[in-house]
Amino acid sequence: MKEIYEQKEYMKKIAEENKGQSKKYTILTMGCQLNENDSEKISGMAEEMGYTKTEKFEEANLVVINTCCVRENAEERLFGKVGELKNLKEKNNMIIAIGGCMMQEKHMADKIKKSYPHVDIVFGTHTLHKLPEDIYRVINSRKRIQDVIDIDGRVFEGLPISRASHTQASITIMYGCDNFCTYCIVPYVRGRERSRNPEDIIAEAKEVAKQGYKEIMLLGQNVNSYMRSENKKGECKSEINSFAKLLREINKIDGIERIRFVSPHPKDFTDDVIEAIRDCDKVCKFIHLPLQSGSTNMLKVMNRKYTKEQYLELVQKMKKQIPNIKFSTDIIVGFAGETEEDFEDTLDVVRKVKFEQVFMFIYSRRKGTPGDQMENQIPEDIKHKRFDRLKELVESQISENNKEYLNTIQEVLVEGPSKSDETMLAGRTEANKVVVFKGNEDMVNTIQKVKLVEDHMWYFKGEITNND
Ligand code: SAH
Ligand code: SF4
Ligand code: F3S
């Protein structure tokens, strides 16, 4: 790809200039798994440019902040961090680059430009691959650069990548979102849906299998509409023209033992996807199925295109076809116009589905979205009270669910030493439960049978078993 070839030339030139100077880089990643995957590409580029990674801002010669704007709280955090960097900058002749979704919002990119003159580079989600060129120009001209475009980015292949985990490899399969849920900013900052070619995805999956990864996480804002827009335009040249077919292909790759994906949309959960999950032994029987609200009225206002009943029917259908299937979800509390009755419907769905994990969010108004224009906004105190009630229900259900796991033997993919106790190992079950247990180094990056002996709500203590 010509564009990437050009960037590789810039990477080489910078590596040449950095030679022997032990330059360091650091990245602050503020967003979702797609944002994290972008950071892995930034790391890949930085390392190719001769920077080595550090966790310490004060040591870094290159600081990249990869922003998110899905909720408001990220803004304060960003400005706090950028402010702190001002004093550090002079010391290391530091280059500061800010990228990601928030920089696709014009008012935010402008604010950085105007109020934070010590920021060297502002780049967007569609120009991530041009970071080497931007850095090269800063080094050689010391001029500030704003590299944000407002068109739909293309799919670029062949960027280097330096992955954060050694057990799970994330692979983005599609970019953008066409759904325009009324609360959500993502379609405005990430552009329209576009899918990577299946051949490129499969090649990447085979590559990570070769490197020893056991788990693959397929990423996209709406993974089960993979290839939808290409099929509509007649642009898909491959026989692997749907998410279900892609899952079946990846399932064939030797060495990979687990396949997960986020996020599917309930409205696109067609039977072929359910059948692929059922048939593919490597696909985890643990599905993230974003609910957002349990009220049909709210779902309509949110433009989610399914009803409470349709969501519950989908869950029932999957439970019937796939024994032992479990679910996690995302829920927004306090969207515009949400009544007590609507909120009760959300609680009702939570009670019925018995999710293993619920990511709960208080509705945050986002400029430029229809939700922000709606008149019947919910007062903050009511939002918080509802959030607390939901949290209480979810926690009581998780501890109920956990009882079912206690004293069972689970397959755990071992990730490494536990963060809280270095003498223990930590890993995850198929249903993403964290298990901490005593073992040895050789077990890292293998699947072990572990008996869950103590329930600590957010993790289990386990004991290795030799029973086969
Ligand atoms: N495409 C995915 C994830 C989108 S962002 C999906 O559709 O599920 C991740 C989560 O953030 C969403 O599922 C939603 O629950 C939450 N979210 C999005 N916009 C929000 C907003 N304005 N306020 C609060 N939470 C929001
Ligand atoms: Fe946002 Fe909805 Fe798209 Fe998810 S599907 S990214 S919630 S607009
Ligand atoms: Fe992800 Fe946040 Fe962007 S959730 S897609 S990083 S707005």
Side-chain angles (χ1 to χ4, degrees):
M1 224 174 225
K2 185 172 146 277
E3 290 84 352
I4 300 302
Y5 175 78
E6 283 172 9
Q7 296 307 316
K8 288 203 165 153
E9 291 299 303
Y10 283 111
M11 289 185 231
K12 272 190 215 153
K13 285 189 208 168
I14 299 168
E16 201 53 45
E17 293 183 22
N18 282 346
K19 223 180 210 162
Q21 298 189 54
S22 38
K23 295 245 170 141
K24 295 197 167 73
Y25 78 98
T26 198
I27 302 188
L28 174 63
T29 306
M30 304 177 87
C32 62
Q33 282 151 305
L34 283 152
N35 193 247
E36 282 170 13
N37 193 227
D38 282 346
S39 285
E40 293 180 330
K41 291 175 193 157
I42 296 171
S43 287
M45 291 189 273
E47 286 166 22
E48 201 123 323
M49 289 185 274
Y51 295 92
T52 51
K53 191 166 188 169
T54 172
E55 300 298 327
K56 295 186 184 133
F57 281 85
E58 57 274 21
E59 283 182 358
N61 307 98
L62 169 66
V63 172
V64 185
I65 305 183
N66 195 8
T67 61
C68 168
C69 55
V70 80
R71 285 170 292 275
E72 195 179 1
N73 49 12
E75 287 164 20
E76 281 162 41
R77 224 183 121 206
L78 174 70
F79 293 129
K81 197 76 219 172
V82 179
E84 276 171 38
L85 290 176
K86 194 167 178 214
N87 294 331
L88 286 179
K89 185 178 166 88
E90 305 308 321
K91 278 197 214 152
N92 294 344
N93 199 14
M94 182 188 278
I95 296 174
I96 302 175
I98 306 186
C101 293
M102 203 194 285
M103 295 304 106
Q104 289 293 142
E105 294 184 287
K106 195 173 177 308
H107 65 281
M108 295 309 287
D110 288 347
K111 183 165 175 182
I112 294 282
K113 194 174 169 197
K114 212 172 115 212
S115 314
Y116 297 89
H118 61 290
V119 173
D120 300 287
I121 300 167
V122 169
F123 64 102
T125 53
H126 306 305
T127 44
L128 173 109
H129 63 287
K130 281 176 65 202
L131 191 60
E133 179 177 345
D134 295 338
I135 292 175
Y136 182 81
R137 285 209 250 141
V138 168
I139 294 174
N140 289 291
S141 71
R142 269 287 158 193
K143 277 207 185 103
R144 302 178 72 204
I145 289 172
Q146 188 145 2
D147 193 3
V148 184
I149 52 171
D150 197 18
I151 55 162
D152 290 347
R154 286 173 38 208
V155 175
F156 289 106
E157 296 294 342
L159 279 183
I161 185 158
S162 171
R163 298 180 188 278
S165 155
H166 295 291
T167 48
Q168 185 193 65
S170 296
I171 301 183
T172 299
I173 64 165
M174 60 187 300
Y175 298 89
C177 179
D178 288 354
N179 287 327
F180 291 94
C181 304
T182 52
Y183 50 81
C184 185
I185 189 97
V186 171
Y188 303 91
V189 295
R190 285 274 175 174
R192 296 293 63 72
E193 277 177 14
R194 53 222 182 264
S195 298
R196 284 178 72 194
N197 287 328
E199 293 73 23
D200 293 320
I201 298 170
I202 291 160
E204 187 174 350
K206 286 186 175 160
E207 178 65 28
V208 298
K210 216 163 76 190
Q211 291 165 356
Y213 284 90
K214 295 289 186 300
E215 183 169 307
I216 283 181
M217 173 67 98
L218 302 173
L219 299 177
Q221 291 299 355
N222 196 5
V223 287
N224 49 353
S225 68
Y226 175 70
M227 278 293 169
R228 177 172 62 184
S229 73
E230 285 75 10
N231 286 333
K232 253 190 222 158
K233 290 184 247 163
E235 283 172 1
C236 180
K237 307 271 181 296
S238 171
E239 274 179 22
I240 306 163
N241 60 357
S242 69
F243 184 58
K245 289 184 187 163
L246 184 69
L247 279 181
R248 289 182 188 273
E249 285 306 308
I250 295 180
N251 196 60
K252 292 179 192 158
I253 298 175
D254 285 339
I256 296 303
E257 301 195 32
R258 281 182 178 175
I259 303 167
R260 301 184 190 271
F261 53 85
V262 279
S263 287
H265 196 301
K267 79 174 162 59
D268 299 313
F269 229 110
T270 42
D271 288 347
D272 60 335
V273 178
I274 301 177
E275 285 155 18
I277 298 169
R278 182 196 62 199
D279 297 345
C280 294
D281 57 332
K282 297 175 184 175
V283 173
C284 290
K285 308 302 182 250
F286 177 63
I287 306 297
H288 185 65
L289 193 63
L291 171 67
Q292 312 301 2
S293 168
S295 147
T296 297
N297 292 336
M298 289 316 294
L299 289 166
K300 193 152 199 271
V301 180
M302 289 174 158
N303 192 31
R304 290 290 290 178
K305 300 199 168 75
Y306 52 87
T307 61
K308 174 185 182 183
E309 289 70 28
Q310 284 168 333
Y311 185 94
L312 288 170
E313 277 161 24
L314 177 61
V315 167
Q316 274 320 314
K317 186 151 92 177
M318 282 199 256
K319 281 188 174 168
K320 222 166 126 192
Q321 293 198 29
I322 309 167
N324 261 328
I325 193 159
K326 307 279 190 219
F327 296 92
S328 63
T329 200
D330 286 356
I331 292 176
I332 298 177
V333 171
F335 186 54
E338 184 186 73
T339 62
E340 180 56 30
E341 221 182 331
D342 291 322
F343 178 64
E344 286 290 341
D345 271 330
T346 298
L347 298 180
D348 188 43
V349 175
V350 171
R351 279 190 206 102
K352 288 193 165 114
V353 182
K354 299 196 169 68
F355 298 102
E356 297 293 320
Q357 240 175 329
V358 181
F359 299 91
M360 296 168 269
F361 307 103
I362 291 177
Y363 171 56
S364 167
R365 291 170 73 166
R366 305 283 64 212
K367 255 202 197 93
T369 62
D372 186 43
Q373 304 294 315
M374 293 177 187
E375 272 167 17
N376 38 6
Q377 300 291 331
I378 305 299
E380 288 302 315
D381 59 329
I382 295 183
K383 286 190 201 173
H384 279 88
K385 276 189 194 134
R386 286 185 187 158
F387 181 88
D388 291 343
R389 283 165 61 196
L390 174 63
K391 189 160 165 270
E392 200 178 315
L393 172 66
V394 166
E395 285 179 1
S396 75
Q397 281 199 324
I398 290 177
S399 66
E400 271 306 298
N401 292 349
N402 280 0
K403 283 185 193 152
E404 284 176 32
Y405 289 93
L406 206 58
N407 296 318
T408 63
I409 294 170
Q410 298 286 327
E411 294 196 335
V412 173
L413 175 57
V414 186
E415 290 169 6
S418 154
K419 285 198 185 90
S420 53
D421 180 355
E422 291 268 312
T423 67
M424 306 282 273
L425 292 174
R428 279 165 204 274
T429 68
E430 182 172 355
N432 217 28
K433 302 274 175 197
V434 175
V435 182
V436 175
F437 64 100
K438 263 209 160 47
N440 58 50
E441 278 282 302
D442 302 348
M443 291 175 179
V444 174
N445 204 24
T446 63
I447 291 187
Q448 294 289 331
K449 292 207 162 109
V450 182
K451 185 173 177 183
L452 310 191
V453 293
E454 272 177 43
D455 165 18
H456 290 262
M457 187 81 184
W458 304 116
Y459 72 97
F460 284 92
K461 272 221 171 111
E463 279 168 9
I464 207 95
T465 64
N466 297 317
N467 306 358
D468 257 338

